[in-house]
Amino acid sequence: MRLRFGLVLSVTLLGSASAFAVTVTNKDDKEHKLTILEGDAKQELQLKPSGVLEGVCLKGCTIRLGSSEDDEYVLEGPEVISIEDSKLYDDAPETK
């Protein structure tokens, strides 16, 4: 019984963590480098044209397009952003 409860709790926690994650879609015709700063951790990823990066920034982060500090986006999750014309944009539906 304990094992089953622990397993259900783990799955629930994982599911709720992904609810706060960020999704990035590259809508450009060229590959882009993303720099993701999450706390003290830094990771650099390449995102191909039409590529989608899901499940990043579970606790909030800063995303930079390339290495430029001029084009950075502070995210708190859950958010959907895209790369268009070599810039980062918020793709969340507008709320009224």
Side-chain angles (χ1 to χ4, degrees):
M1 185 68 166
R2 282 186 181 171
L3 179 59
R4 178 188 275 166
F5 177 73
L7 193 56
V8 170
L9 181 61
S10 295
V11 169
T12 303
L13 290 175
L14 285 174
S16 64
S18 64
F20 293 105
V22 172
T23 300
V24 183
T25 303
N26 183 359
K27 295 182 178 179
D28 274 353
D29 292 334
K30 66 178 188 172
E31 185 172 278
H32 286 283
K33 179 176 112 176
L34 294 174
T35 303
I36 301 171
L37 307 166
E38 195 167 6
D40 291 334
K42 176 181 175 180
Q43 96 183 58
E44 294 179 345
L45 303 167
Q46 294 296 124
L47 192 57
K48 295 185 182 292
S50 300
V52 178
L53 181 62
E54 295 179 309
V56 294
C57 303
L58 297 177
K59 297 179 184 177
C61 68
T62 298
I63 292 184
R64 292 182 184 151
L65 190 55
S67 301
S68 174
E69 293 181 25
D70 295 333
D71 194 11
E72 66 179 29
Y73 209 76
V74 178
L75 305 169
E76 296 176 4
E79 295 178 65
V80 177
I81 62 174
S82 65
I83 303 169
E84 295 179 54
D85 299 322
S86 297
K87 300 227 180 270
L88 294 172
Y89 290 95
D90 185 356
D91 269 357
E94 291 186 29
T95 57
K96 294 181 182 182

